[in-house]
Amino acid sequence: MAAVGAAPLIPGLSPTTAHAASTASGSRPDFPLVDAGTAVDVYVDAADDAAVIRAAGDLRADVERVGGVRPGLLHTLPDKAPGLVLVGTLGSSPVIDKLVADGRLDVAHVRGRWEASVTQVVERPAPGVERALVIAGSDRRGTVYGVYDTSERIGVSPWYWWADVPVERRDTVTVPAGRFLRREPSVRYRGVFINDEQNLTTWSHRTQEPDKNIGPETYKRIFELLLRLKANYLWPAMHPYSDFFNKYRENPELADEYGIVVGSSHPEALLRNGVHEWEPWAAEHPNADGSLPVYDYTVNPAVISDYWRARARQNAAYESSWTLGMRGLHDTALETKYATTIPEKVVVMNDIITDQRRILTEEVGASVEPQIFIPYKEVLELYNAGVQVPDDVTLIWPDDNHGNMRQLPNDTERARSGGNGIYYHLSYWGRPKSYLWLDTTQLAKVWQELRRVYEHGVDRMWIFNVGDLKSIETGLSFSMDMAWDVDRWGPDEVEDFLSEWEGRQFGRRYGGEIAAIRTEYYRLAAELRPEFIAPGILSVIHHGDEAGRRMAAYDALLGRVRAVAAEVPAECADAFYELVEYPVHGAYLMNLKYYWADRNALAVRQGRGAGANRFADLALAAHADEQALTLRYNTQVAGGKWDGYINPYPSQIPKAPGRPTVTRVTRTETSGLGVAAEGNETGAARPLSFSSYTRDRRFVDVFNTGFLALDWTAEAGASWVRLSASGGSLTEQTRVWVEVDWERAPEGTLDTSVLLTGGGRSVEVPMRVVNEGARARRRARGFVEANGYVSIDAAHFEQRVARGGARWRVVRGLGRRTGAVEAVPSTASSVTGDFASRAPELRYRVRFSSTGSFPVTVFRLPSLDERGYRRVAVALDDQPATVLTGQSVATGNRGDAWARNVEDGVEKLTTTVTVAEPGEHVLRIFMVDAAIAVDQIVVDTGALPVSYLAAPESYHPVFRPEPAYEPGLDVPGQ
């Protein structure tokens, strides 16, 4: 095991060995690649595919990276050698084929399969060769993946270049002698869309190819990374600021040489980049009257058809993917001047597909594949209205751009010979908000959606929008692992993936802690992506300062990051900064500057003096720190290698939230006492509430309305009330925390207060304390109502009941808390009545002290089904269940229900339940539609304040025995 750097893989345990099996080597010694300063040569037949020969060259470089010695590359077998690496593809390597024919190499699970391979040590494989490590693939990419498997097993991370993951040097480099089988992947085509790539373009122009804006040298790096991740497919960069892929003929030639299948995105039919290529084509093919043809098939079908044909002819020799259909230029809607209705547009789309199919048959071949049709945005409406897509064409189903699949194939579509695929966003530019800066999509959410699509038979092609690639390293690695072996990780194992993956980048001793850090980082992003932060979203007055508690969680997380950063070896520092520290620290600062800005805005409304300016200073300082953090990435990390790549504020695409607006108050030579108790913007009209179950801690902000020093005192109205401060002198402000000493407080409902005095003024802050005693707390069996509400994490159920072949399962790491519950299988039939006997059920024991009809809100994750419904049912005890219907359609708008759901990461569905008598009751949640996921449940019994996040979880003797509050964020200088 490597102490630092990329840890060697353990076959069968590592996610990159998914769909793989290994056999123990018994007493056979490991196979040495480097020993005593000598490297074993690599043999590959000169007639094998160029992709295989090139990958063999990478293996040589990887062996040198680890062992310091570069193996030779042979195309003829040596007369004598103690060891040799034999690389070859079945049917293309006579040496490999002879080993198979002689029964020396078992390829029973490789031959005839898609991208499968076997790695096996063979004794005396050829005259004069004593021992060989044989890497044999079913096809060219199968062999290539076998080669890169070997590289990763000796400690070379796929991210050695793109994330500067170090490679541990060793004098002796070996691989296990046991047979290693990689079966064919779960998904045939697995790839990425380089999109919204301004930062990549800037970096490429500055550091790779000064005369180009993403050219062959950059694509070489991208191709190699994809292959190391076991991907095989690419939609290239396509924006106006990038050079289009086919501008340089080396690009498609290199892709074919590497073994990468190149396709094009939804607005780029038949590999044509409309942004760059249509206007020159139109200029060269004017209309008879000299005007330029428009990109409208109802106006200029012949010119457009010839435009497509030229590219089909040009790229016919390469392994390509051909996008059928049509949209407007550069990701705009389809233009049809002479087809205005949906039925008319359907006819036009059918004509377009027929024309494109004819072009491909004539220029490339009748059976060319894959051909794909992407019903994206308005094209989905046309598809559902009757567009006829030939059976052998792959349907590529899009998500809503925010990680929620819009619709999935029905039985007829699943039976298509062309199969089905998905286009899924890990990064996005568009409505209602963009997220382009950091990798912020929760991996458990990716797992949930990908597992769902696979259960619906979507296994032909998975394409992930990864933005400009950098910062998406973790999410992309996980997505590619899922695409290779969708069964590798279960609902409780996403963090296990992170532990293994982080352990391979930095060493196993750090894997578990970094995985926990990333899990919390994703959870906080699930509450609110850092790219979505804006003024006034989070409450700074309710639930112990909701925003401050969130910032305290970020602060604690950053502390953990710094602790690991201080321990990892120096050679890991750059990779750790790129993969762990920058995302966490950047997200922290993005939230922090808006937290202080919100405190500044509130302080101004409250009439604070010097304290208001203090918050303004803190907000702007956090923004400056964030800029410095990014500057370090671009100028210092890896010696400035990433100059221009990391930029939250690019000039031509949506930016992350920038410098917050703050307000400063004019200095006055005065002082005065101001008080704002928790739950109040100003004053103390809303009492501080306390329960012996939740054992709350509440705050009172004491502030100066001027700029001169103010003496103040705080006095509790009862001996059993504890205050964090009893007075002093302040120029700005301080936060006093109020708690109850429950061992000393009398039982019953108690009213007392805290008296604040200063500057000739006194303010009384009322307290309402409900103390039911330690015995009642110990005897409670479920969630207990307190402070006017009951708040429940959905994963904390008392019982779950499976019915009708469906059930609820916990997906750990999903949602805003520790996990969400999902109704599975995703293919289960909907239940529309008789829920208590037919529907899978979740039960929560709740103790109510209040009676009446109360709102109950189910926080569900915003999954979609545009051909169905997203429903869940709620009941209390044996009362009739109420069906709640969620948003099932992605509108693509701003400000509507769908937009709110994807911005918040949850949809809040509300009904009422009637509590006729106080005491214990059972809250019941029933599945109506499969694949719906529930995150939290909140019952408002009369005093629930409005806030962005759900209230802290209520007392429960098992799940929440301790207070649910976390400490707030301290204000420097208080």
Side-chain angles (χ1 to χ4, degrees):
M1 174 61 204
V4 301
L9 298 185
I10 301 177
L13 294 181
S14 163
T16 56
T17 60
H19 266 207
S22 60
T23 57
S25 59
S27 60
R28 300 175 66 195
D30 292 344
F31 186 88
L33 295 174
V34 176
D35 189 24
T38 301
V40 172
D41 289 334
V42 177
Y43 166 86
V44 59
D45 196 286
D48 213 320
D49 192 90
V52 173
I53 297 172
R54 195 209 57 77
D58 278 353
L59 178 61
R60 298 170 62 218
D62 290 341
V63 170
E64 184 178 22
R65 288 184 179 101
V66 180
V69 183
R70 181 177 290 254
L73 180 64
L74 307 178
H75 296 304
T76 58
L77 288 173
D79 293 333
K80 186 175 182 180
L84 191 66
V85 178
L86 295 177
V87 177
T89 307
L90 298 179
S92 298
S93 174
V95 174
I96 299 290
D97 291 343
K98 186 175 188 304
L99 289 175
V100 174
D102 292 344
R104 310 288 306 285
L105 182 66
D106 182 2
V107 295
H109 298 285
V110 176
R111 189 191 300 278
R113 306 299 177 94
W114 179 266
E115 298 178 347
S117 67
V118 62
T119 301
Q120 179 179 325
V121 173
V122 177
E123 308 293 336
R124 295 179 295 281
V129 179
E130 296 179 15
R131 204 168 186 230
L133 179 71
V134 180
I135 304 171
S138 61
D139 50 32
R140 63 173 184 161
R141 279 190 294 272
T143 309
V144 169
Y145 297 147
V147 168
Y148 285 127
D149 273 337
T150 303
S151 292
E152 197 166 0
R153 292 168 84 194
I154 64 173
V156 179
S157 168
W159 295 99
Y160 79 94
W161 194 87
W162 278 98
D164 301 299
V165 175
V167 178
E168 185 203 10
R169 293 292 294 268
R170 301 193 299 277
D171 293 333
T172 301
V173 182
T174 63
V175 293
R179 181 170 178 267
F180 182 79
L181 174 66
R182 174 179 286 280
R183 302 180 189 274
E184 60 186 5
S186 297
V187 179
R188 175 163 289 200
Y189 294 102
R190 312 162 305 281
V192 304
F193 182 16
I194 303 294
N195 193 218
D196 312 320
E197 67 279 358
Q198 185 185 350
N199 291 343
L200 170 59
T201 302
T202 300
W203 167 81
S204 176
H205 180 77
R206 286 183 185 177
T207 69
Q208 303 299 300
E209 300 160 282
D211 59 333
K212 298 178 179 66
N213 291 313
I214 307 182
E217 293 306 311
T218 303
Y219 276 115
K220 284 180 184 178
R221 294 290 188 183
I222 294 172
F223 297 155
E224 180 189 333
L225 174 66
L226 292 177
L227 292 174
R228 287 181 183 268
L229 293 174
K230 310 303 182 287
N232 59 11
Y233 187 79
L234 174 70
W235 288 354
M238 49 79 75
H239 275 284
Y241 38 73
S242 302
D243 294 335
F244 66 98
F245 189 74
N246 278 278
K247 178 176 181 178
Y248 308 112
R249 292 313 301 165
E250 303 100 302
N251 284 341
E253 291 169 358
L254 282 168
D256 203 58
E257 178 183 329
Y258 274 72
I260 296 294
V261 180
V262 176
S264 54
S265 63
H266 43 88
E268 300 178 281
L270 268 59
L271 299 178
R272 274 295 194 180
N273 180 282
V275 176
H276 291 281
E277 297 190 87
W278 172 251
E279 286 189 7
W281 181 271
E284 294 172 2
H285 300 81
N287 295 321
D289 61 1
S291 62
L292 297 181
V294 295
Y295 195 65
D296 182 335
Y297 197 80
T298 68
V299 177
N300 299 110
V303 176
I304 294 171
S305 181
D306 289 345
Y307 168 72
W308 289 332
R309 183 180 294 274
R311 177 52 42 75
R313 181 179 299 136
Q314 189 179 42
N315 283 34
Y318 308 128
E319 188 179 7
S320 302
S321 168
W322 302 94
T323 298
L324 305 182
M326 189 175 182
R327 295 190 72 223
L329 295 174
H330 193 40
D331 200 8
T332 56
L334 176 69
E335 294 184 25
T336 52
K337 180 178 181 180
Y338 298 118
T340 58
T341 67
I342 294 297
E344 289 172 343
K345 292 180 180 181
V346 167
V347 171
V348 172
M349 187 65 76
N350 287 336
D351 289 344
I352 289 169
I353 293 172
T354 299
D355 188 13
Q356 293 168 335
R357 295 269 286 180
R358 181 171 57 252
I359 290 170
L360 290 177
T361 296
E362 294 170 358
E363 300 295 341
V364 186
S367 59
V368 59
E369 63 174 22
Q371 299 176 39
I372 66 175
F373 180 78
I374 312 164
Y376 185 76
K377 289 189 175 179
E378 79 285 347
V379 179
L380 180 61
E381 182 181 11
L382 299 183
Y383 172 79
N384 288 334
V387 169
Q388 298 299 305
V389 180
D391 192 68
D392 62 333
V393 174
T394 304
L395 294 174
I396 305 296
W397 301 96
D399 69 345
D400 67 343
N401 307 312
H402 290 263
N404 308 293
M405 293 307 301
R406 296 181 62 171
Q407 71 182 47
L408 293 172
N410 56 30
D411 290 341
T412 300
E413 290 158 341
R414 283 196 287 271
R416 296 166 51 84
S417 63
N420 295 268
I422 59 167
Y423 169 39
Y424 193 87
H425 287 76
L426 300 173
S427 174
Y428 176 62
W429 169 6
R431 292 191 298 254
K433 289 184 179 178
S434 306
Y435 53 102
L436 302 168
W437 176 39
L438 299 175
D439 173 17
T440 54
T441 300
Q442 205 168 29
L443 293 195
K445 179 182 179 67
V446 176
W447 181 90
Q448 178 203 22
E449 288 293 310
L450 296 186
R451 182 72 234 179
R452 176 185 167 209
V453 302
Y454 193 79
E455 288 174 355
H456 280 77
V458 181
D459 61 1
R460 189 61 54 90
M461 184 178 289
W462 288 3
I463 306 134
F464 297 93
N465 188 319
V466 295
D468 54 20
L469 188 62
K470 197 121 177 73
S471 90
I472 213 77
E473 299 95 341
T474 309
L476 175 56
S477 294
F478 180 70
S479 299
M480 287 299 105
D481 272 6
M482 285 284 290
W484 188 276
D485 183 1
V486 74
D487 295 321
R488 176 63 180 87
W489 306 104
D492 293 328
E493 297 171 334
V494 173
E495 191 169 329
D496 295 341
F497 159 82
L498 281 168
S499 183
E500 288 192 9
W501 190 82
E502 301 289 359
R504 290 200 308 277
Q505 316 313 315
F506 304 108
R508 283 185 188 169
R509 63 175 293 188
Y510 307 109
E513 174 63 2
I514 299 175
I517 288 169
R518 287 293 296 194
T519 298
E520 176 68 355
Y521 161 81
Y522 284 124
R523 186 193 69 79
L524 290 166
E527 289 183 342
L528 181 63
R529 292 187 195 264
E531 298 92 339
F532 290 1
I533 195 73
I537 293 178
L538 293 148
S539 174
V540 294
I541 64 172
H542 293 307
H543 300 310
D545 184 354
E546 174 184 74
R549 291 171 54 238
R550 176 175 156 84
M551 286 314 311
Y554 261 121
D555 193 59
L557 186 64
L558 185 59
R560 296 171 69 179
V561 169
R562 287 170 170 157
V564 178
E567 290 188 15
V568 296
E571 54 266 37
C572 293
D574 289 338
F576 188 82
Y577 190 84
E578 296 171 44
L579 297 176
V580 183
E581 185 173 352
Y582 181 82
V584 173
H585 201 172
Y588 165 79
L589 290 171
M590 187 65 70
N591 281 269
L592 183 65
K593 67 186 183 183
Y594 277 88
Y595 173 63
W596 294 134
D598 282 349
R599 292 287 300 272
N600 166 253
L602 176 61
V604 172
R605 295 195 300 272
Q606 292 171 332
R608 300 194 192 195
N613 293 347
R614 162 69 72 173
F615 290 133
D617 292 341
L618 291 170
L620 298 183
H623 180 66
D625 288 346
E626 177 212 301
Q627 291 181 305
L629 192 77
T630 298
L631 182 65
R632 177 185 168 190
Y633 203 138
N634 285 283
T635 61
Q636 298 179 32
V637 169
K641 174 181 177 181
W642 303 113
D643 183 21
Y645 209 137
I646 305 303
N647 183 7
Y649 312 110
S651 61
Q652 298 185 53
I653 60 176
K655 303 167 178 56
R659 185 178 185 268
T661 299
V662 296
T663 301
R664 296 185 182 278
V665 297
T666 303
R667 179 180 176 86
T668 60
E669 300 301 314
T670 62
S671 65
L673 176 69
V675 173
E678 179 176 335
N680 301 272
E681 278 219 348
T682 60
R686 183 184 181 114
L688 303 180
S689 61
F690 299 83
S691 166
S692 57
Y693 289 100
T694 48
R695 297 189 176 181
D696 312 282
R697 185 180 76 152
R698 306 295 183 190
F699 70 84
V700 178
D701 280 347
V702 183
F703 57 87
N704 193 337
T705 60
F707 286 76
L708 300 181
L710 171 74
D711 292 331
W712 66 281
T713 62
E715 182 180 357
S719 61
W720 38 266
V721 174
R722 296 194 298 237
L723 305 178
S724 63
S726 60
S729 178
L730 62 82
T731 303
E732 296 174 355
Q733 58 232 331
T734 192
R735 178 161 281 182
V736 177
W737 289 99
V738 183
E739 295 180 86
V740 172
D741 185 342
W742 297 104
E743 299 296 325
R744 299 175 59 203
E747 293 187 13
T749 299
L750 313 168
D751 289 310
T752 185
S753 63
V754 176
L755 183 66
L756 286 305
T757 304
R761 179 175 183 240
S762 295
V763 178
E764 187 174 23
V765 178
M767 296 173 56
R768 169 60 60 90
V769 179
V770 179
N771 184 10
E772 296 194 25
R775 178 178 298 178
R777 194 173 191 269
R778 288 194 300 269
R779 295 174 64 181
R781 295 194 294 168
F783 291 97
V784 179
E785 176 198 355
N787 302 319
Y789 64 84
V790 180
S791 182
I792 301 169
D793 288 1
H796 293 164
F797 46 81
E798 172 123 338
Q799 185 180 4
R800 54 182 163 180
V801 181
R803 294 190 181 105
R807 61 187 177 89
W808 292 95
R809 73 176 170 200
V810 176
V811 181
R812 188 159 57 96
L814 179 63
R816 290 174 163 190
R817 302 303 301 163
T818 58
V821 285
E822 177 191 23
V824 293
S826 64
T827 53
S829 298
S830 298
V831 180
T832 56
D834 195 15
F835 300 111
S837 61
R838 297 179 55 221
E841 178 183 353
L842 295 167
R843 295 177 182 172
Y844 303 88
R845 188 187 301 270
V846 181
R847 180 183 178 275
F848 289 100
S849 55
S850 305
T851 59
S853 293
F854 302 129
V856 55
T857 299
V858 175
F859 291 62
R860 73 108 183 170
L861 303 186
S863 58
L864 302 170
D865 185 351
E866 299 201 4
R867 291 193 284 204
Y869 299 92
R870 312 304 292 142
R871 297 168 299 184
V872 67
V874 178
L876 186 68
D877 301 325
D878 294 326
Q879 297 172 18
T882 301
V883 175
L884 304 178
T885 301
Q887 180 76 17
S888 61
V889 175
T891 64
N893 299 326
R894 289 188 176 96
D896 64 7
W898 168 81
R900 290 193 301 273
N901 296 345
V902 296
E903 289 176 27
D904 296 351
V906 294
E907 182 176 24
K908 300 175 184 178
L909 306 177
T910 300
T911 185
T912 60
V913 294
T914 299
V915 180
E917 296 181 357
E920 288 193 356
H921 296 266
V922 177
L923 185 65
R924 309 170 74 183
I925 305 294
F926 299 98
M927 181 200 92
V928 179
D929 298 309
I932 196 164
V934 178
D935 190 25
Q936 292 168 291
I937 307 155
V938 178
V939 184
D940 180 0
T941 59
L944 180 69
V946 176
S947 61
Y948 175 79
L949 300 174
E953 191 171 29
S954 297
Y955 171 79
H956 188 285
V958 175
F959 300 118
R960 184 62 72 177
E962 299 303 320
Y965 60 76
E966 294 87 9
L969 198 67
D970 291 333
V971 179
Q974 287 194 157

